């Protein structure tokens, strides 16, 4: 039986992970947060003291790092056997991750892991290049967008809820920079696949979006 694949791409703060998690639950699929994998590599590079712009060094680190996403309720992220679920959400990691994610060797290694995940079972996979590159044959490709203001506000609220003291302006600035790097990189840039359904999430509730996607996937 072919395994269902739902690709969910879009810029930061478009609501991908929140929606992907619930859709996966409702359709009994694995949720694969590919951004968490890139974050784990960025985290490891930062904690090893490697300069983030040293491509050779960071690529070497990526090759020697074991990244595991578990499929429990909590969606823990493991890096070389250590639970880094909290650490990978720091501002430092958020600032470094796009640089690390632009390195071909880093992508090559993580895309392999992502495709393996999709072989294990049906998936809702969220990221930037899932529909264009990781799962080009995905059954459903959805590209989520929202206005810059709304995305920044969502991200800011998320950080505030996690107890991080940061201004909305700072979050908006960091986010714009991250999206710019993600869209302008040479390899697998952030963009909708040709056959993706584009959904503007501005002003829509999580429930509305989930319902739309579940309906689309015939759930
Ligand atoms: O999804 P999240 O915001 O956690 O992703 C963090 C970063 O990881 C993105 O800004 C991007 O640089 C990188 N990424 C990527 N390709 C993916 C998923 C994430 O380049 N499929």
């Amino acid at each position: 039986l072919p395994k269902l694949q739902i690709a969910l791409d879009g810029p930061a703060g478009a609501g991908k992970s929140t929606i992907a998690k619930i859709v996966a639950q409702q359709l009994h699929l694995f949720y694969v947060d590919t951004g968490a994998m890139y974050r784990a590599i960025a985290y490891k590079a930062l904690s090893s003291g490697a300069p983030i712009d040293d491509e050779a060094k960071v690529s070497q680190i990526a090759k020697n790092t074991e990244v595991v996403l578990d499929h429990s309720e909590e969606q823990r992220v493991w890096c070389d056997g250590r639970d880094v679920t909290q650490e990978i959400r720091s501002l430092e990691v958020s600032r470094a991750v796009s640089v690390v994610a632009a390195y071909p060797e880093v992508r090559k290694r993580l895309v392999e892991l992502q495709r393996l995940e999709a072989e294990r079972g049906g998936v809702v996979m969220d990221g930037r290049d899932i529909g264009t590159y990781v799962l080009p044959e995905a059954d459903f490709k959805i590209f989520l967008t929202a206005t810059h203001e709304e995305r920044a506000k969502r991200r800011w609220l998320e950080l505030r809820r996690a107890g991080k003291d940061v201004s909305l302006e700072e979050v908006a600035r960091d986010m714009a920079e991250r999206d710019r790097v993600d869209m302008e990189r040479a390899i697998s840039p952030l963009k909708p696949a040709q056959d993706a359904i584009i959904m503007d999430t501005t002003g829509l509730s999580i429930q509305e979006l989930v319902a739309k996607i579940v309906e689309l996937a015939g759930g």
Side-chain angles (χ1 to χ4, degrees), residues 34-35 38-39 89 97-98 101 107 127-129 178 182 185:
T34 64
Y38 290 95
R39 286 172 178 273
R89 303 292 160 193
V97 65
S98 289
R107 302 201 71 81
R128 303 293 186 285
D129 61 336
R178 188 142 65 91
D182 288 345
R185 71 175 171 232

Side-chain angles (χ1 to χ4, degrees), residues 11 30 40 45 57 68 72 90 139 154 167 169 178 186 197 199 206 208 212 218:
F30 289 134
K57 202 162 215 167
V68 176
S72 68
S90 72
D139 302 272
R154 284 181 194 162
S167 73
E169 290 69 37
R178 188 142 65 91
I197 298 163
M199 288 187 180
I206 291 166
E208 285 172 297
K212 270 191 191 200

Side-chain angles (χ1 to χ4, degrees), residues 77-133:
V77 183
W78 302 84
C79 185
D80 296 329
R82 220 185 115 218
D83 184 346
V84 296
T85 313
Q86 301 292 328
E87 287 85 342
I88 61 167
R89 303 292 160 193
S90 72
L91 290 176
E92 293 70 34
V93 169
S94 294
R95 282 182 188 137
V97 65
S98 289
V99 178
V100 167
Y103 298 150
E105 287 300 317
V106 172
R107 302 201 71 81
K108 193 170 155 226
R109 164 127 173 85
L110 295 183
V111 168
E112 254 170 53
L113 289 178
Q114 291 155 16
R115 289 183 177 152
L116 279 176
E117 291 278 353
E119 279 172 27
R120 291 175 52 198
V123 288
V124 180
M125 195 175 282
D126 88 9
R128 303 293 186 285
D129 61 336
I130 311 307
T132 55
Y133 186 70

Side-chain angles (χ1 to χ4, degrees), residues 173-187:
R173 216 180 318 118
D174 282 1
M175 214 183 64
E177 174 60 12
R178 188 142 65 91
D179 288 342
R180 188 188 63 77
V181 176
D182 288 345
M183 288 187 292
E184 290 179 0
R185 71 175 171 232
I187 166 172

